Amino acid sequence: MKKTIGTLALFGLIAAGCAAMVSDEEREAQALAMMKASFKESGQAKLDRLDQDDMQKMCSRYHGDKVMPRDVGEKLEKEQQALIKFPADGKLVGDWKSGERIAQSGVGKQFSDNPANPNGANCYACHQLSKAELAYGTIGPSLYNFGKIRGFTPEMQKYAFSKVYNSQAFSACSSMPRFGHSGILTEAQIKDVVALLMDPESPVNK
Ligand code: HEC
């Protein structure tokens, strides 16, 4: 009997040892395989949406009480900044009225949406923008009076464009979508959303 308990304990130790030896990569591969087995592709929603890029992988490794060291975050942000594509015509601000429609719309990218139609950005799901819209989420900071407070400068236009294009370029692991980088919004749509934030005539700045 003693021997059996001893053997069991030994097995327990070996099992615990093995569990600890599984690398991050192996664990991630197992989790990915499990998720891919449990989702079905439908319409434009393909299983490759579960594949993470290097930045997303790093963000998944640092969660809960495992805080990402600042230098790691800064390196990731620099890499994301380098991926931003600015408009060839140098103009960053479009039409705020169109920007308001894009910010209001949550249509797009779902399996049931027609990929030929333009996507919305659903900014209001996370931000307050104009005062007239009372239904908004608070995951992100209020953007009411964004241009008025931050200044209608070319630098701020550039920041607004860059932030919407690739939110991770300024805060690694942000929960805000990377609208340009991920192909959710077109360049012209991003300019219109920037106008919503930066045009002095936009209701955001009234
Ligand atoms: C899923 C939620 C979510 C959506 C959708 C979203 N954002 Fe954000 N946004 C955030 C969060 C969270 C932050 C704060 C963290 C950060 O800076 O990334 C933020 C930050 C920002 C900032 C920086 C604010 C500052 O003070 O510098 C801007 C500008 C912004 N969002 C604009 C937008 C616009 C425009 C849209 C729509 C095109 C949008 N966001 C959609 C979550 C979201």
Side-chain angles (χ1 to χ4, degrees):
M1 185 62 192
K2 244 187 180 171
K3 198 176 165 208
T4 319
I5 292 171
T7 316
L8 279 176
L10 186 64
F11 269 129
L13 275 178
I14 293 170
C18 287
M21 273 179 338
V22 175
S23 67
D24 281 346
E25 285 82 2
E26 283 169 277
R27 242 196 313 266
E28 281 157 14
Q30 284 167 3
L32 183 63
M34 202 182 284
M35 284 190 286
K36 286 205 168 175
S38 60
F39 279 103
K40 269 202 197 91
E41 293 196 339
S42 184
Q44 62 176 313
K46 305 281 185 236
L47 285 183
D48 62 3
R49 289 190 178 182
L50 295 169
D51 295 329
Q52 297 184 309
D53 66 14
D54 290 346
M55 203 261 338
Q56 290 167 323
K57 276 188 196 141
M58 286 301 275
C59 293
S60 297
R61 281 186 198 169
Y62 293 97
H63 58 84
D65 50 7
K66 216 172 151 203
V67 178
M68 179 179 278
R70 198 53 218 141
D71 58 328
V72 176
E74 276 168 8
K75 186 171 169 278
L76 290 176
E77 286 164 10
K78 282 221 175 72
E79 285 165 8
Q80 294 297 306
Q81 273 165 33
L83 298 173
I84 299 173
K85 291 192 187 82
F86 290 100
D89 66 3
K91 291 202 186 83
L92 302 177
V93 184
D95 169 13
W96 70 258
K97 286 188 186 132
S98 160
E100 169 67 11
R101 283 193 293 275
I102 294 164
Q104 288 275 1
S105 167
V107 166
K109 289 285 182 191
Q110 296 184 56
F111 76 94
S112 51
D113 290 321
N114 180 353
N117 294 336
N119 298 318
N122 222 2
C123 312
Y124 280 99
C126 299
H127 295 282
Q128 179 186 32
L129 285 134
S130 74
K131 266 274 184 261
E133 178 53 88
L134 300 177
Y136 56 83
T138 52
I139 295 172
S142 171
L143 301 172
Y144 180 62
N145 277 351
F146 182 83
K148 210 170 168 181
I149 295 167
R150 306 285 276 269
F152 299 109
T153 60
E155 291 74 32
M156 199 44 67
Q157 289 178 358
K158 191 175 174 205
Y159 168 64
F161 185 94
S162 310
K163 181 71 192 175
V164 175
Y165 190 100
N166 189 340
S167 60
Q168 312 280 356
F170 303 93
S171 35
C173 311
S174 164
S175 51
M176 175 166 156
R178 293 179 286 175
F179 291 99
H181 179 79
S182 308
I184 301 166
L185 297 181
T186 64
E187 183 182 282
Q189 285 181 307
I190 298 177
K191 288 181 182 192
D192 292 347
V193 167
V194 169
L196 182 66
L197 296 172
M198 291 299 295
D199 189 325
E201 294 310 312
S202 154
V204 165
N205 296 312
K206 292 293 179 194

